[in-house]
Amino acid sequence: MTGMGVGAMRRAGILILLGFSACSSGADNKAVATEQSKGPPPMPAPETISSRPNAGPGERLYLDKCAMCHGPAGMGTGLLTRRMEQPLLEKRTDLTSEFVMQAARMGIGNMPAIPRGEASDVELKQIADYLSAEKESGQ
Amino acid sequence: MQPLDPAIAAAARQAFAAIVGVDHVFFNEEDQLSYQDKFAVDDALHHPAGAVAPATVEEIRAILKVARERKLPLWPISRGKNLGYGGSAPLLAGSVILDLSRMRKIDYDEANGTVLLEPGVSFYDLYDFLKSKGMKHWLSVPGNSWGSVLGNALDRGVGYTPYGEHTTKICGIEAVMADGMVVRTGMGALDGAPTWQLYKFGFGPSWDQMFVQSNFGIVTKMGLWLMPAPESLMGMDIEFERPEDLGPLVDALAPLRREGLLQQSPTIGNWLRAAATLTTRGEWTDKPGALSDEVIAAIRKKFNVGWWGVSLRLYGREDMNKAAYAVLEREMGKLKPMSLRPTTWKTGEPIEATGWTGTPLTFPMQNANWHGGRGGHIGFSPILPQSGKAALAQFQRTYACYKEFGMDYQASFAFGERHLINVNAVLLDKDDPAMMKRVDPFLKRLIADAKAQGYGEYRTHLDYMDAVADTYDFNGGALAKLNRTVKDALDPQGIIAPGKSGIWPTSMMGAKA
């Protein structure tokens, strides 16, 4: 049990969203600004497989294995916000497949190594290919 | 303790591959590293020899047969995310991890509000599943929801809702014993019973808790009760100015919890929680040692928090919540808090994605970065009576100890129905060897200090399982003798998780530190 109170949870949500607003697209900025004018913005809900019924195989595996930490309110996103302009892996344009596989398998910073029992080499390659694929314009 | 000869595990590799397939046997150096304890205080300890990942009960039985023939200990993990307590690492170095994360079946009884889960089902899996069924039932999640629902309940993990004492929501278990026998507890012992997840006790002795924090069997299925989605959620976030406000707050909340007006278990936490999650220590000070009163004041000012804060939540019918809220407001008002912020939600309104609504979360683990580099935390969690005087005294003694050892104080006092858990998350800086050397003597001091008050921990890291078990010393350690007698009867070779919770078979007592 980490024992975080809801006040701290909500403040964390606020700061995470503020972190995003500094670096994400104009549309996101507007959404945050609107929420702020009504009071504290809520924490974003986790993105899981059922959030994106049309996800392709790599995207589906990303949602299954990575999104809990690398989705909007996750630990990985929170920590990457301190270091990167774009903390969301799915929006990054600088990721190579090799780097993703290495980071996941060996761990990096405070990200623990992901064992093969959790994500097989084949699954990890699909995720890495998904995250390193050229992004469509607008992302 | 002496690690096992790695040759024993290496020799079993082929036999394991014959059972689960070569793709589910993990023995190379990268595999060994990936199953180590990510938050270890001493990185040289608890190294596994490798891992094997079965998908079925039959495969587990076959793996156990191989392990028995070779006297090879297995360390079962559900998803291995018990961070702060050892994660995926075994207590005894050279053990093979039995990784159950491939077993992910969910059986849902919507009418009765129960699930039957396999070990690999994570909180996110169950959340996704329930969401796809219309969220008619809510989860209760721990602060790190990355892990397994079953594994968390088996380690007595705690969440935020009225169903937050997870181990008490277990209803029926299927386990594979060391000799390969498959047993079902409670009504599950009656073949074909439709009541396995409905009545906890069955007939005769009730064994669900026998498999909790133990090494008496490998749990392959667990029934769990889920909370019906409430009509309304109301409550308040309250902050208190002074350290000594802890005592009256405990004494005000305890009767409300015992009478059932409060159904969830509030957690009183200190000023570091938000700061450790949202900032790094270097943003506040460059001075070593425990944070000074000036820094504490600056943190409190920035986050607008008290020395202590607590969140109270009411779940259920709106009419009842409104009536209970009035009582809460009156009782908390008597304490003259620094601030009191009400919250309210009703079915149909946008729902907040927090632990209070059973939404899984991982961001609290951001506190691993408090020291700016590679970090983690280790828990110290003694059980106290629900007494303001006892809680305040525990805080004062423990805080003095933190200052003496130069550690930053992050603690909470979490209510049960009749007890408090004083959860301390000792924040580690793995890039500071001097600090890492202080952690072990610090933890040992805290354990001894609690013991001197008659307090024992509810849960601990691999490093302290023997030490904590030894504090349970009534009648010459009679409980340890009972546990060993049971272990000897069920698993004399110590195949399943030897050393878990300080339980070793007689044949392995030499391996105990």
Side-chain angles (χ1 to χ4, degrees):
Chain A
M1 182 169 64
T2 309
M4 166 152 292
V6 76
M9 285 183 196
R10 188 171 289 138
R11 282 187 290 276
I14 293 163
L15 293 200
I16 287 166
L17 283 178
L18 289 177
F20 285 168
S21 70
C23 55
S24 54
S25 70
D28 287 354
N29 273 336
K30 269 183 217 153
V32 171
T34 308
E35 282 164 357
Q36 278 171 337
S37 63
K38 289 180 195 161
M43 291 254 291
E47 293 193 334
T48 54
I49 289 172
S50 64
S51 325
R52 300 189 202 166
N54 300 320
E59 182 179 2
R60 194 179 160 84
L61 281 166
Y62 166 84
L63 290 170
D64 188 28
K65 313 276 184 190
C66 316
M68 59 280 280
C69 281
H70 287 288
M75 173 209 191
T77 300
L79 293 186
L80 285 171
T81 301
R82 298 174 186 177
R83 294 165 178 76
M84 313 286 299
E85 281 200 12
Q86 176 50 270
L88 291 171
L89 302 188
E90 287 185 294
K91 293 194 174 179
R92 291 260 295 264
T93 52
D94 61 335
L95 293 172
T96 65
S97 186
E98 293 71 28
F99 177 80
V100 172
M101 292 185 70
Q102 164 91 4
R105 205 54 100 205
M106 305 301 287
I108 181 168
N110 279 298
M111 174 176 173
I114 304 300
R116 286 200 287 162
E118 184 168 352
S120 71
D121 289 337
V122 172
E123 289 171 331
L124 187 53
K125 179 76 167 60
Q126 280 183 279
I127 293 167
D129 287 347
Y130 166 67
L131 291 176
S132 61
E134 215 163 289
K135 305 291 189 287
E136 287 169 30
S137 61
Q139 277 199 305
Chain B
M1 63 207 67
Q2 289 297 312
L4 296 167
D5 178 356
I8 303 174
R13 187 176 172 167
Q14 296 300 328
F16 289 148
I19 297 164
V20 297
V22 71
D23 287 347
H24 302 295
V25 176
F26 313 114
F27 275 73
N28 68 33
E29 195 183 340
E30 191 178 271
D31 295 324
Q32 291 163 351
L33 286 168
S34 71
Y35 282 97
Q36 286 180 16
D37 178 12
K38 283 81 179 179
F39 286 2
V41 174
D42 184 343
D43 282 322
L45 300 177
H46 311 302
H47 291 188
V52 52
T56 65
V57 166
E58 279 314 304
E59 288 179 359
I60 292 172
R61 295 182 68 219
I63 290 166
L64 275 168
K65 183 164 182 287
V66 170
R68 285 195 307 272
E69 287 164 3
R70 295 163 189 266
K71 297 190 178 169
L72 174 60
L74 304 172
W75 184 267
I77 60 169
S78 302
R79 281 178 43 81
K81 307 304 183 192
N82 199 15
L83 297 171
Y85 300 98
S88 50
L91 192 143
L92 187 59
S95 301
V96 170
I97 304 302
L98 186 70
D99 182 344
L100 304 177
S101 59
R102 292 173 66 203
M103 300 174 70
R104 294 175 69 177
K105 283 199 198 79
I106 301 171
D107 285 325
Y108 179 39
D109 178 348
E110 189 177 308
N112 287 300
T114 69
V115 279
L116 183 65
L117 304 172
E118 288 190 339
V121 176
S122 75
F123 288 95
Y124 284 86
D125 292 339
L126 187 54
Y127 171 77
D128 186 61
F129 177 89
L130 292 172
K131 200 169 60 162
S132 73
K133 303 283 182 191
M135 257 327 169
K136 297 181 184 73
H137 294 91
W138 283 14
L139 287 81
S140 169
V141 300
N144 163 19
S145 315
W146 195 17
S148 154
V149 180
L150 177 151
N152 180 271
L154 286 184
D155 219 46
R156 302 204 178 101
V158 182
Y160 304 87
T161 76
Y163 280 47
E165 194 172 55
H166 299 159
T167 195
T168 62
K169 301 301 170 228
I170 296 173
C171 187
I173 274 174
E174 176 187 88
V176 186
M177 310 306 284
D179 64 3
M181 180 172 73
V182 179
V183 64
R184 289 184 176 180
T185 64
M187 301 310 291
L190 194 159
D191 212 5
T195 47
W196 190 15
Q197 271 63 67
L198 306 183
Y199 181 66
K200 293 178 180 179
F201 309 111
F203 179 71
S206 177
W207 295 115
D208 282 2
Q209 285 291 316
M210 167 181 167
F211 296 103
V212 173
Q213 282 194 4
S214 86
N215 51 14
F216 297 145
I218 298 166
V219 178
T220 48
K221 286 190 177 68
M222 187 185 79
L224 190 73
W225 289 357
L226 299 175
M227 181 174 74
E231 178 185 68
S232 140
L233 178 56
M234 291 180 72
M236 56 183 73
D237 303 331
I238 323 169
E239 301 290 335
F240 293 87
E241 181 68 42
R242 305 170 309 157
E244 53 271 32
D245 291 334
L246 176 65
L249 177 56
V250 167
D251 287 334
L253 289 175
L256 298 172
R257 181 70 186 89
R258 284 198 291 269
E259 75 173 271
L261 183 130
L262 269 178
Q263 306 251 325
Q264 52 97 215
S265 294
T267 294
I268 302 167
N270 79 323
W271 42 266
L272 186 52
R273 290 190 297 183
T277 308
L278 301 175
T279 63
T280 58
R281 195 178 196 277
E283 295 171 46
W284 302 99
T285 182
D286 55 5
K287 294 202 175 85
L291 293 172
S292 67
D293 287 344
E294 292 71 34
V295 173
I296 293 170
I299 287 173
R300 287 185 46 194
K301 189 172 173 208
K302 168 156 177 180
F303 293 106
N304 194 23
V305 294
W307 225 99
W308 301 106
V310 67
S311 295
L312 309 176
R313 290 293 181 276
L314 301 159
Y315 296 76
R317 307 278 179 155
E318 189 181 32
D319 290 348
M320 294 177 74
N321 283 351
K322 280 181 174 168
Y325 184 89
V327 178
L328 273 188
E329 194 173 40
R330 191 167 67 237
E331 294 301 319
M332 291 299 106
K334 288 179 190 167
L335 300 173
K336 303 198 177 350
M338 183 183 122
S339 65
L340 189 156
R341 290 184 299 273
T343 73
T344 181
W345 171 86
K346 194 180 173 187
T347 303
E349 294 173 1
I351 195 162
E352 65 175 20
T354 66
W356 302 109
T357 60
T359 308
L361 61 166
T362 56
F363 77 83
M365 286 192 295
Q366 285 168 210
N367 66 13
N369 191 227
W370 166 242
H371 288 283
R374 296 178 312 131
H377 66 263
I378 185 162
F380 165 70
S381 310
I383 299 285
L384 274 55
Q386 272 179 3
S387 142
K389 191 178 164 194
L392 189 59
Q394 177 72 17
F395 155 67
Q396 286 165 339
R397 288 194 329 277
T398 309
Y399 189 37
C401 203
Y402 272 77
K403 287 180 174 171
E404 181 187 332
F405 282 83
M407 311 294 279
D408 297 333
Y409 184 67
Q410 171 161 300
S412 59
F413 291 82
F415 279 78
E417 280 191 65
R418 292 290 188 283
H419 68 273
L420 288 175
I421 309 179
N422 174 213
V423 180
N424 291 256
V426 178
L427 298 172
L428 308 175
D429 182 356
K430 295 197 68 165
D431 299 318
D432 179 353
M435 181 223 250
M436 294 308 287
K437 272 194 191 145
R438 294 199 300 274
V439 174
D440 182 59
F442 177 52
L443 265 289
K444 284 181 175 151
R445 169 79 76 82
L446 291 174
I447 292 168
D449 176 75
K451 169 65 183 157
Q453 311 300 317
Y455 302 152
E457 287 196 76
Y458 92 106
R459 187 179 184 187
T460 195
H461 184 270
L462 299 174
D463 287 349
Y464 301 102
M465 286 189 171
D466 284 335
V468 170
D470 287 348
T471 65
Y472 286 77
D473 60 354
F474 168 75
N475 193 18
L479 181 67
K481 285 176 193 164
L482 170 62
N483 285 337
R484 189 160 66 247
T485 303
V486 174
K487 186 67 174 167
D488 283 343
L490 296 174
D491 181 17
Q493 296 175 295
I495 299 302
I496 300 177
K500 171 75 181 174
S501 299
I503 305 169
W504 302 87
T506 302
S507 66
M508 294 179 85
M509 285 300 282
K512 189 178 168 184

